[in-house]
Amino acid sequence: MTNYIGSRVPRFEDLRTLTGRGEYADDLPTPPNTHYVKILRSTHAHAKIKRIDASKALKLPGVVSVITGQDIKQVMDPYPLALHVPIKYYPIAIDKVRYVGEPVAVVVARDPFTAEDALELIDIEYEPLKPVLSIEDALKNDSIIHEEVGSNLIWHRTYRFGDPDHAFSTADLTVNTTFKVPRFTVPALEPYVVMAQYNPSSDELTIWANFQGPFSLFYIAARALRKPLNKVRLITPRDIGGGFGVKVPLIYEAALIGAVAELVKVPVKWVESRTESFMSSTRAANRLAVFELALKKNGEILGLRAKIIDDYGAYPRSPEPGTFFRQFGNFVGPYRIKNVLIDASVVVTNTVPSNPIRGFGGQQLYLPLEKAITKAAKALNMDPVEFRLKNLIQPNEMPYKTATGGVYDYGDYPRTLMKALELINYEEALKIKEQAKKEGRLVGIGVAIGVHPAGSNMGYLDAALDPEYRKSEKYLPKSGWHDTAIVIVQPLGEVVVTAPTAPQGQGHETVIAQIVASILGVSPENVRVVTSVDTSKDPWSIPTGTYSSRFTTNMVNAAYNAAMQVRNKIIRIASKILGVPPENLELSDGKIYDKNDPSKSISFRRIAGLAHWNPYALMEYGEEPGLIGVGVFQYPTVSTVSSNDEVNSSATYAFSANLALVEVDPDTGDVKVLKFVSADDAGRIINPGIFEQNVISMINQTLALTLYQELVYDKNGRLVTTDFDTYFVPTVNEAVYSMDWASVETPSKFSPIGSKGFGESILSSGPAALLMAIEDAINAEFDELPVTPEKIWRAIHEIKSK
Amino acid sequence: MLRAWNFMYTINPAPFDYLPVQSLDEAVKLLHEYGESAKVIAGGQSLLLLMRKRLITPKVLIDLNKINGLNYVQVVNDQLLIGALTTFSDVINSKDVFKDCPILYEAARTTADVQVRNRATIGGNLAEAAPGANIPPVLLVSDAKIVIKSSSGEKIVKAEELFLGPYRSALSNDEIIREIQIPLVSCRGYSYSYYKVARRKQEFGILVGALLIKFSEDKKVLDVKLAFGNATSKPTRLKNVEEELIDKVLTNDLVERVSSRADSNLDIRSTAAASAEYRRNLVRVYTKRLLIDAARRAGVM
């Protein structure tokens, strides 16, 4: 049997995208009479809308309609929210604007140019209100964003696991750290593209959009559009030009465009601009975190107390409060911490609403946690690596249930961390640092490790609810996580796999082909994989999509199951034809043959032909006609939240050990990354090439987040970083070149393939490693990101910023 | 002409009339006629970004790209002459620039990225007067002159006279840059150093430093010209530093002493990208680095 699992198969997607033949949303053919839409957005962060006058715009030749919030209200309800708060979230402002960039009116015109020209002909009279722009401002409550709530603090709960009070009262010492994770994004090159067409005769709405999932939000959108799910058809294109989470909340504006199509009754198309993408799509939630550790002198961690306040922007829209709950099961990271107290709050501010951004909660967790761990090592006078090793969960404890309910599905954390030390040559790095110190140069080493969730359990959001509510009959528990794949064998033995994931460049076509080809004994080139989603015919469900690193934990196993059904059926048929017992048959090179006598064989193509041309023969063999497999997969550990708030928030947990060696220029504060290494336990690696591409991208996004990137608002709440010239994405000139990586494979035992998603791992714990290295080099601490050269220079010379 | 923030997320410019011209005479005539409502487009690498976001909305766009004979780099009478429509890529590819004015080669080569350099013109770049632009400090240290054409004729100004402040040039509404002139005597025989301080290599500089320095056989400084862009509101020569170095042998002590007060006469800018304090520090640090770098290149340190 040729096994392509673990082999470096070049990505099938690359040739078409690299030669400009990708099939993106903007390339889709437009229906006849398509009109074009532009959105007029609020220029105020917080204001009442007194009057909207579109009369001048409507006189512009080519303008068909100008739609406002009052019109949208006729066909839409507010989106259901995961947090039980009386906030009405529409995709357009109704009588008040709550962030700069919030849609206020939608222009429909014959061409996109006219639509843009019409924007400035719409007069809006605002009554400005005081904008709330920071967590500190929000807590003052002197300007209320949602009157229905009456406070900008919209959610607060305390979680207690084990006996944290005892841990802290009996501790030899405690350390604490305060950290502010900034507002940031991971920009995708392709902006939002939405087309919508409404058929009044059937009340069917078709929406084409480069949406990445989760399709739970499609459900929410259909609900808001007051339509049954089979009356809204959502179609994603074959190729999506990057997602990184930014294309999750796309669904909210896609529903707006859908509502517009329903109102104007012509097909409409909308393409977002780059500046809109920065200003009004989404961002990561910023967090104010205070983490406190209770320690014993011998280096044991007794307990963790965390106080976190998350800022979700103007509306706490789903999948928020995921920033907090996605990392709930792994809140203690890779450490054996039994006693945990978490005091968690959510505030709203007059900024763009947050949503998942690559890492989704990972940076918000591991920056304060790993900083506290590093401080603890220092306080105990221990090497930061040694201290971590002492507190790591051991392989013989796996599967390990964390205090907060996570079930770590196997992993060898100590071996992986040791591997990272080997990659950077830790002893040598310590010597380099000492030598530099003697020469008056600033060299530092940083380490940060993390357990990284993949494959989100939709049920984790239930942990936000009051446990009393969860006892009531109104409560409908959730544990959605599964995926469905279909393997179809065509008459000449070609294999087509339907694996609806809406990927954004991750290489799913290649990986699915590797798996199915290995199982069916055909070449991967013979397997066509369809990953786009059409809700009218594909087996989608609530968790469908590509987000939360879920593909390699999830869809790969669904495809495995589907292919195994086909394989088993082929073996049974071949057994009858060849007169060989099934257990002696093997599939390879397009043949089914007797392991003991390879001359006894029948071609895969022959059996495919039989199934299509002579299904009667299959029935004679006691088989159902057809050669098709439907695989569904749900992790056995992904369950609903327990009565005491424990929840296994994800299916698999990868482990990432990161080390950085940096040199800081004392005169300018410039940072040079001398080396960055990452050892990762992501279970079984299906395609090492794709694994490496992920590592390289995450290390460079780590660099970006740590040193370069923050979404900056001015005092009026207008975004300053509206383009790539102000929101810095490091280019090849700034990239980390000196890097190394290794994969330590401890396959998950809960799935047939044993792979784990790790596509956000290094970006979650890596920034802490880089930050710790810089702090180590200059012997100063930072309580926020990004650390720019000026901030570093000020810290070195102890010059306060004005 | 900069408008309110309202429409900065648009993709397409507001409607305008497009007027391609065949000659500079025609262009300045039209400029004179349309006044402030007209803009001139050369490479369009900055202008089009502003127009697409409707931050500026000219009614008339006068396109210079069809004018012949304004794209050249040549040496005439010991002067390096660069036509205003010469792209950065053409400057980089010129043997004359590389041989006779390597500091200009360095500055052009590190401007933006290759796609921008293929379109952006020297004339357009100077007219924009972006504070962090690469070229202006180089023109200051190489005693460059700018030939400016208007409806009433031509005039020649010194490079330092062209820049009035951030995005403010001395060009009046009906004036267009025709040529840049660099006397070779100002570059030949000089050692040089050039630095752009930027978060990303392709950005405008937080600080742009240019140094030309000439040493005698006994390693004394015969002539030195130092300029910074984006340190102050316009590109500036640091005459105080220059005067302190003349006739001296560069030692570490001297370089240290001079650079530690390089900023003393400067009214340093403060922007979102860098505070005045940090910029002041950068002026000192890069004065030192420029001097050491140029001295090493000349083999005197």
Side-chain angles (χ1 to χ4, degrees), chain A residues 79-110:
Chain A
Y79 294 108
L81 303 175
L83 277 182
H84 287 194
V85 285
I87 287 172
K88 290 195 177 73
Y89 175 45
Y90 288 94
I92 186 166
I94 304 294
D95 41 27
K96 188 174 164 182
V97 291
R98 294 183 173 88
Y99 62 96
V100 170
E102 182 167 13
V104 177
V106 181
V107 177
V108 183
R110 291 193 185 280

Side-chain angles (χ1 to χ4, degrees), chain B residues 33 45 63 85 87 97 112 134 143 157 181 241-242 267 282 298:
Chain B
E33 193 178 322
Q45 295 303 291
D63 184 0
L85 282 185
T87 65
V97 171
N134 287 25
D143 307 315
V157 301
Q181 304 179 336
V241 172
E242 296 173 3
D267 184 12
L282 289 178

Side-chain angles (χ1 to χ4, degrees), chain A residues 39-41 100 116-117 120 273 275 665 667-668 707 723-724 728-729 731 734 789-790 793-794, chain B residues 3 5-12 15 53-54 199-203 274-275 277-278 281 285 289:
Chain A
I39 298 172
L40 181 67
R41 297 180 180 278
V100 170
E116 281 202 332
D117 292 345
E120 58 189 304
S273 76
T275 299
D665 182 331
D667 294 332
T668 62
L707 300 182
D723 276 287
F724 284 122
F728 287 153
V729 177
T731 69
E734 291 77 35
E790 177 163 352
W793 172 78
R794 284 180 185 281
Chain B
R3 285 155 42 102
W5 183 87
N6 303 25
F7 299 98
M8 62 173 289
Y9 59 86
T10 52
I11 301 173
N12 302 297
K53 290 186 162 192
R54 305 191 182 208
R199 292 303 312 279
R200 298 195 306 173
K201 202 175 170 187
Q202 73 211 78
E203 302 302 326
S275 70
E277 268 175 308
Y278 183 61
N281 169 63
V285 169
R289 288 184 184 179

Side-chain angles (χ1 to χ4, degrees), chain A residues 100-135:
Chain A
V100 170
E102 182 167 13
V104 177
V106 181
V107 177
V108 183
R110 291 193 185 280
D111 63 79
F113 312 101
T114 306
E116 281 202 332
D117 292 345
L119 291 180
E120 58 189 304
L121 299 176
I122 302 170
D123 283 328
I124 300 178
E125 192 187 320
Y126 290 107
E127 180 190 322
L129 301 167
K130 190 183 173 197
V132 178
L133 298 171
S134 65
I135 292 174

